[in-house]
Amino acid sequence: MTNPSLLILAGDGIGPEVMAEVRKVIDWFGAKRDLKFNVSEDLVGGAAYDAHGTPLHDETMARAQNVDAVLLGAVGGPKYDDLDFSVKPERGLLRLRKEMDLFANLRPAQCFDALADFSSLKKEIVSDLDIMIVRELTSGIYFGEPRGIMDDNEGGRVGVNTQRYTTNEIRRVARSAFELARRRGNKVCSMEKANVMESGILWREEVTWVHQNEYPDVELSHMYADAGAMQLCRWPKQFDVIVTDNLFGDLLSDMAAMLTGSLGMLPSASLGAPMENGRPKALYEPVHGSAPDIAGQGKANPCACILSFAMALRYSFDQGPEADRLEAAVEKVLADGVRTADLLQSGTGEPATTSQMGDAVVAALEASL
Ligand code: NAD
């Protein structure tokens, strides 16, 4: 059996700093849990532009298509702000998502008890929260045609975007949500606006079809997306997996993320269709960007990137118990009071550096044996 392969694209700004801590974690799993990966590294974003004049070299794209999972740090930075749109660092990331056809974006909103005070909601509402938002990522209103700004033939202009979903696009993301639910609390809530949008009616019908024909064992409910937003603030723990379209998912996943406090704690996964070996095409990355304001200062919180690797363990490598171990290690570090600056209330102690945080996670892993 060959080891599973992992392509690391650290990117720009704090990307390489947080990724260095993930490497410590990967090395620990190799040494102590006999979980070895064939790790390769390459460039993306501004770093790739500097080296090759493009934010994603064709060879890097080809490598990404041929590995079991890609782990990405972050892209972008002020140095690249004036570049032509076609070579901006973000285009590298968009190309990866598009060509790997990563249609299901998984955004967990998980609130570690030790960080419950960071939420803008009351502690009892968010403490131990653990929900997953599955957002359709490759279709819907951000891609539908016609689009553009045109003359309205009455002397003014009209801005047009089109919400469009096919049966296949809805069914495949619904399947991702039901599969996830089976590994978690076995509940899916589908959100759309079937009351005012035909695409919402089709969404509801197709999700129901997949449920009845393929996943009758999973509990399914439906909610209008606006009501869903209210319920997310009122009592988020009622949800397990939420599945929704690209536009509503964009809003709802950011909102759910903020229930939990800091950007430095939020992982994500983007999954596509299964490959020949049964594993889904997969890209794991922290939600945060390259944070140029703190880059190179040892201030970045590596937890979002470390937790993204935990998602890779669970969803690409079928190592659920080891993913649990890693998440528990992060939780222990926080409970012990080791915090990077973003996780400290002002005037409460000395912040840990990026590297100290990574070391503390590895020490907590070691203590878990
Ligand atoms: P950002 O996420 O980089 O930073 C927002 C704020 O959060 C900053 O104050 C930053 O210091 C802080 N922050 C972010 N991650 C942190 C971490 N791990 N630890 C501690 N603090 C952290 O968003 P931005 O400032 O709007 O964007 C900066 C650059 O990143 C831009 O070029 C943008 O285009 C790019 N960006 C990239 C991605 C990505 O790679 N997926 C996502 C968002 C933004």
Side-chain angles (χ1 to χ4, degrees):
M1 279 271 288
T2 53
N3 297 330
S5 52
L6 194 56
L7 173 62
I8 289 185
L9 303 173
D12 309 320
I14 62 168
E17 298 169 46
V18 295
M19 201 59 87
E21 304 312 307
V22 181
R23 284 305 295 256
K24 292 177 185 171
V25 169
I26 293 173
D27 290 348
W28 184 87
F29 276 99
K32 299 296 174 78
R33 304 300 298 156
D34 201 23
L35 206 54
K36 296 189 168 51
F37 297 94
N38 279 338
V39 181
S40 56
E41 296 198 29
D42 211 332
L43 303 173
V44 70
Y49 178 82
D50 288 342
H52 306 301
T54 166
L56 190 74
H57 198 277
D58 289 344
E59 274 177 25
T60 315
M61 186 67 242
R63 288 171 84 180
Q65 295 281 25
N66 285 306
V67 291
D68 292 314
V70 178
L71 191 57
L72 187 135
V75 296
K79 180 178 166 194
Y80 309 103
D81 280 353
D82 296 330
L83 287 182
D84 185 72
F85 188 66
S86 63
V87 288
K88 275 197 185 293
E90 290 75 8
R91 302 301 297 173
L93 181 52
L94 292 177
R95 182 176 175 200
L96 279 166
R97 288 180 183 155
K98 182 162 188 287
E99 294 193 18
M100 291 169 77
D101 200 11
L102 304 172
F103 56 81
N105 182 225
L106 278 51
R107 290 271 299 265
Q110 198 173 5
C111 187
F112 295 113
D113 200 38
L115 295 183
D117 285 335
F118 274 82
S119 173
S120 46
L121 297 188
K122 289 194 200 96
K123 187 168 179 173
E124 66 268 22
I125 293 183
V126 291
S127 146
D128 292 326
L129 175 73
D130 181 7
I131 62 179
M132 176 74 81
I133 303 209
V134 180
R135 164 189 171 193
E136 200 290 326
L137 198 61
T138 53
S139 185
I141 199 160
Y142 295 155
F143 296 92
E145 298 284 348
R147 64 184 296 161
I149 300 176
M150 308 147 199
D151 287 338
D152 70 355
N153 296 326
E154 292 173 6
R157 296 186 301 161
V158 56
V160 178
N161 290 94
T162 302
Q163 168 84 330
R164 183 178 185 281
Y165 270 109
T166 65
T167 295
N168 176 48
E169 287 166 346
I170 300 168
R171 288 187 184 181
R172 64 183 187 174
V173 75
R175 287 188 185 102
S176 299
F178 286 120
E179 288 291 336
L180 272 169
R182 277 185 176 162
R183 298 174 182 214
R184 300 170 40 98
N186 217 34
K187 284 199 307 189
V188 171
C189 180
S190 170
M191 294 189 186
E192 28 55 18
K193 290 281 289 175
N195 49 342
V196 285
M197 296 170 75
E198 284 75 7
S199 58
I201 295 174
L202 186 73
W203 183 279
R204 189 175 283 221
E205 288 176 359
E206 294 300 344
V207 171
T208 303
W209 187 93
V210 174
H211 176 242
Q212 286 173 348
N213 288 281
E214 299 174 20
Y215 299 90
D217 53 302
V218 180
E219 190 185 318
L220 172 66
S221 60
H222 302 275
M223 208 177 266
Y224 298 137
D226 49 346
M230 283 197 272
Q231 291 300 326
L232 267 173
C233 291
R234 194 184 72 81
W235 190 240
K237 287 185 218 173
Q238 70 185 279
F239 298 112
D240 176 26
V241 175
I242 292 172
V243 63
T244 188
D245 72 17
N246 203 341
L247 174 65
F248 296 138
D250 197 358
L251 308 181
L252 293 171
S253 61
D254 271 7
M255 199 179 108
M258 276 302 104
L259 299 176
T260 70
S262 168
L263 205 48
M265 293 299 302
L266 298 170
S268 80
S270 300
L271 306 181
M275 299 183 282
E276 265 177 28
N277 60 13
R279 295 187 171 119
K281 289 252 177 200
L283 174 88
Y284 299 88
E285 56 178 325
V287 168
H288 63 71
S290 59
D293 53 335
I294 56 166
Q297 302 171 35
K299 290 183 179 168
N301 181 353
C303 288
C305 205
I306 291 173
L307 292 170
S308 300
F309 176 63
M311 291 186 83
L313 286 175
R314 181 171 288 120
Y315 298 119
S316 280
F317 304 121
D318 258 334
Q319 295 288 341
E322 299 301 333
D324 291 343
R325 179 193 297 279
L326 180 50
E327 286 166 357
V330 171
E331 182 154 26
K332 178 172 187 311
V333 167
L334 298 171
D336 288 348
V338 184
R339 307 273 169 100
T340 39
D342 57 308
L343 301 179
L344 280 177
Q345 316 273 23
S346 56
T348 54
E350 213 26 46
T353 63
T354 308
S355 172
Q356 285 167 341
M357 196 77 179
D359 290 344
V361 172
V362 170
L365 282 170
E366 193 68 33
S368 74
L369 294 178

